[in-house]
Amino acid sequence: MDEKQATEFHRGIPSAEKSEIYGWILPTNTDQLIPGNISFAIGGAEFSVPVKNLVREPVKGLDGWSFSAVTSGASNFIIIGDVFFRSNYITFDRGNARVGIAPSKH
């Protein structure tokens, strides 16, 4: 996702910051500040990810801060990676060039 999209996403997370050194960082207790899930709409269906999964490893030297699983890059497309995959069932049908997604219970 581009910088504008990443900034908009992190606006919804209290105290999220863009660090020139570390990129997007979140309070380690973000899951307590925003309990529950966030949802992504894909092909008209909604799929959720627990907020706690967005909080990655702690930032060394910054007590109480962790890296965000959502980052920005030079492109305008969004890569849905392991955070999304851990919360949903994904099947790859290479023969027919399709991907199937189903929500898991978490």
Side-chain angles (χ1 to χ4, degrees):
M1 83 177 40
D2 65 25
E3 189 61 38
K4 183 178 175 184
Q5 291 168 320
T7 299
E8 189 63 31
F9 179 87
H10 285 96
R11 266 195 196 130
I13 301 173
S15 302
E17 291 185 12
K18 175 68 187 265
S19 164
E20 291 300 317
I21 298 170
Y22 301 112
W24 284 101
I25 57 175
L26 309 170
T28 302
N29 68 341
T30 293
D31 62 321
Q32 295 167 6
L33 300 171
I34 308 173
N37 301 321
I38 61 164
S39 295
F40 295 89
I42 301 172
E46 285 199 17
F47 302 96
S48 64
V49 172
V51 170
K52 68 181 181 182
N53 290 358
L54 298 177
V55 181
R56 303 299 289 231
E57 61 276 354
V59 178
K60 289 183 181 177
L62 288 178
D63 287 341
W65 290 92
S66 295
F67 291 102
S68 173
V70 177
T71 61
S72 60
S75 59
N76 64 354
F77 61 88
I78 297 173
I79 298 172
I80 299 177
D82 66 320
V83 171
F84 183 83
F85 288 179
R86 281 186 272 142
S87 302
N88 296 280
Y89 294 106
I90 313 294
T91 59
F92 297 94
D93 180 355
R94 297 184 77 157
N96 293 304
R98 300 184 301 183
V99 175
I101 308 171
S104 66
K105 297 192 185 226
H106 39 81

